[in-house]
Amino acid sequence: MCRAQAKRLPRNRDNTSILSENAYTLELLRGSYRQCIELMRMSREAYVRLCTHFRHKLWLHDSRYVSVEEKMAMFLTIIGHNERYVVIKRRFQHSSQTIHKYFHKVLAAMMTFARKMIVTSTFDPNPDSLGAHKSLRRIFKEAVGAIDRTLVHAIFSASQQTVYRGRGKGKCHQHVLGICDFNMIFTFVYAGWEVVAHDSRVLTEVMAESSNNFPFPPPNKYYLCDAAYTNTRGFMAPYRNVRYWLRDFRRGRAMTKEEKFNHAHAKLRNVIECAYGVLKARFPILDKMAPYPFNVQRNEVIACFAVNNFIRKEKINDELFAQYEEPQIVMEQGQEEEVKFATTGSHWGAEDIQFMSNMREEIVVQLIGNI
């Protein structure tokens, strides 16, 4: 058989479901409401708005055989369930090459989307705006959000695993630094650090690189942070060697002025733990990553943050946000680390540390006066 004849041989098609081409996506749009939530980890309204947004911004286009809605559905199913291409191939009745092509097209568009969705706050929060603990926010009136890290599962080659290997079962993770406001909207995200790096070192390194555009708060404003960070200008930490985590106060109410401050601080800072809780509940791939190249893994993480922000900013009714914003929800990632802030290349001096110590003492006075 000559080469020309071989080229004309038909491909052996093994996608034979009756829900061919765009039919499965149409079922998502017209079928059971729960199906959309369970498959793509968001409501139908959120899914439709997201697709409309990408189409309006010209970040995605309908191709001859695959619509924007179908491209987005394939992408969201992958990151929402850590599915492999072969599973998506059967569900959407496209070849593995087509799935691969549009997954990466949507991921590239998501990076542009993320630059619009993850943006710095106004640094002028309204204590009466959405969010819990409004009375405490009036006392911590200069707080503009909370900062903390979270760990995201990552896959590495054997030669890279040492610096990314966490405790416990020895799984690998990437260290993600995030800032969120009191409405659980992330205003800054930096992903990709090795897990052995201490929180304070990651913060210092991220701020030192101007291209990261770290949103350093104005002189009298600050982020709430845990004791893994220094209590210094721009970052208000709790008192060290004093009860802090909310679960610690279940054994008895706060007694000393330091404990009263730590309890109030922990209540407000809990917003970022709840925000991470929503994110990981929506996108299980963050707890069990697929073996993509690391730059793809990192971009998937950013895409998850961006989609989560979109749902919150659009004020769409969402089951996960409704669950995690309840006042009784307590989310705590780990125990307080008694490790001092790295002094090498420190961004602050003694004056900055004293400034925040004085501000913390002023808040203690207000808290005691309100009891």
Side-chain angles (χ1 to χ4, degrees):
M1 183 183 295
C2 68
R3 183 176 300 177
Q5 289 176 318
K7 288 183 177 179
R8 289 195 295 269
L9 288 176
R11 289 187 300 173
N12 182 22
R13 297 181 62 86
D14 59 351
N15 289 327
T16 57
S17 170
I18 60 173
L19 290 178
S20 60
E21 297 181 346
N22 204 36
Y24 189 83
T25 308
L26 292 176
E27 186 180 80
L28 290 173
L29 293 169
R30 300 171 184 172
S32 168
Y33 181 80
R34 293 299 310 173
Q35 185 178 4
C36 197
I37 293 176
E38 291 167 359
L39 183 75
M40 294 183 292
R41 314 299 298 159
M42 65 178 65
S43 68
R44 183 181 296 153
E45 180 186 3
Y47 167 57
V48 171
R49 285 201 203 179
L50 186 63
C51 294
T52 302
H53 187 78
F54 272 70
R55 180 180 274 112
H56 177 73
K57 294 292 185 180
L58 304 180
W59 295 333
L60 290 176
H61 306 270
D62 294 329
S63 57
R64 184 176 180 182
Y65 297 111
V66 187
S67 66
V68 168
E69 287 75 15
E70 191 170 8
K71 294 173 184 177
M72 188 65 72
M74 291 188 291
F75 178 84
L76 292 173
T77 303
I78 290 173
I79 68 171
H81 297 274
N82 188 20
E83 294 285 19
R84 300 301 191 266
Y85 292 157
V86 66
V87 176
I88 305 302
K89 166 187 172 180
R90 296 299 179 187
R91 181 166 291 167
F92 289 88
Q93 295 293 291
H94 290 294
S95 68
S96 296
Q97 293 87 344
T98 298
I99 303 299
H100 177 274
K101 173 184 176 181
Y102 290 120
F103 170 79
H104 287 279
K105 279 187 177 292
V106 176
L107 184 59
M110 279 286 173
M111 295 304 96
T112 303
F113 175 62
R115 289 192 287 272
K116 304 297 183 181
M117 282 296 112
I118 307 173
V119 294
T120 307
S121 68
T122 61
F123 292 128
D124 189 23
N126 178 5
D128 296 316
S129 62
L130 294 175
H133 305 299
K134 291 183 179 180
S135 60
L136 284 179
R137 283 160 55 194
R138 293 189 186 100
I139 295 176
F140 289 80
K141 59 182 181 296
E142 304 301 340
V144 292
I147 184 170
D148 200 5
R149 64 97 175 101
T150 192
L151 299 181
V152 172
H153 182 238
I155 303 292
F156 294 95
S157 63
S159 62
Q160 295 178 294
Q161 288 181 3
T162 302
V163 296
Y164 289 96
R165 192 180 300 281
R167 299 174 183 174
K169 297 181 181 179
K171 293 182 178 180
C172 291
H173 296 85
Q174 58 171 302
H175 187 139
V176 180
L177 177 68
I179 300 173
C180 79
D181 63 20
F182 292 109
N183 193 29
M184 290 194 282
I185 294 175
F186 284 94
T187 58
F188 180 80
V189 176
Y190 189 91
W193 271 90
E194 61 267 23
V195 74
V196 296
H198 188 265
D199 296 12
S200 58
R201 178 198 161 198
V202 173
L203 176 60
T204 302
E205 295 289 343
V206 170
M207 289 192 305
E209 180 55 59
S210 59
S211 62
N212 293 330
N213 297 316
F214 183 85
F216 198 87
N220 294 324
K221 306 287 185 179
Y222 54 84
Y223 297 120
L224 300 175
C225 56
D226 65 23
Y229 302 91
T230 295
N231 186 62
T232 187
R233 190 183 296 270
F235 303 90
M236 182 172 284
Y239 289 97
R240 290 181 179 274
N241 302 315
V242 177
R243 277 193 297 172
Y244 177 67
W245 300 108
L246 292 176
R247 60 176 170 267
D248 294 338
F249 291 98
R250 293 170 183 162
R251 299 192 295 269
R253 65 185 182 89
M255 302 298 294
T256 66
K257 67 174 187 177
E258 291 82 6
E259 285 189 347
K260 293 181 189 299
F261 174 87
N262 279 10
H263 191 203
H265 183 285
K267 285 182 177 180
L268 278 183
R269 198 196 66 86
N270 191 55
V271 67
I272 195 165
E273 310 293 1
C274 290
Y276 281 137
V278 174
L279 185 76
K280 291 188 174 183
R282 191 183 309 282
F283 299 112
I285 197 171
L286 300 178
D287 285 323
K288 189 175 182 182
M289 184 63 68
Y292 297 104
F294 185 59
N295 66 312
V296 174
Q297 295 181 49
R298 186 174 58 243
N299 288 347
E300 284 182 301
V301 172
I302 300 300
C304 291
F305 276 92
V307 171
N308 218 47
N309 268 11
F310 177 81
I311 294 171
R312 193 62 167 173
K313 288 184 176 185
E314 289 288 303
K315 298 180 173 61
I316 300 169
N317 289 331
D318 182 79
E319 293 182 0
L320 288 173
F321 275 117
Q323 174 186 345
Y324 280 84
E325 67 186 354
E326 290 294 327
Q328 67 270 19
I329 294 295
V330 175
M331 298 288 296
E332 292 174 339
Q333 290 188 343
Q335 296 292 331
E336 180 176 352
E337 297 181 59
E338 292 300 329
V339 182
K340 293 186 180 298
F341 193 87
T343 56
T344 303
S346 177
H347 189 82
W348 305 277
E351 183 180 343
D352 297 311
I353 295 174
Q354 186 60 51
F355 173 87
M356 189 52 70
S357 295
N358 294 340
M359 183 173 285
R360 188 167 62 181
E361 288 297 320
E362 292 172 6
I363 291 176
V364 168
V365 172
Q366 294 182 61
L367 285 171
I368 295 175
N370 281 270
I371 294 176

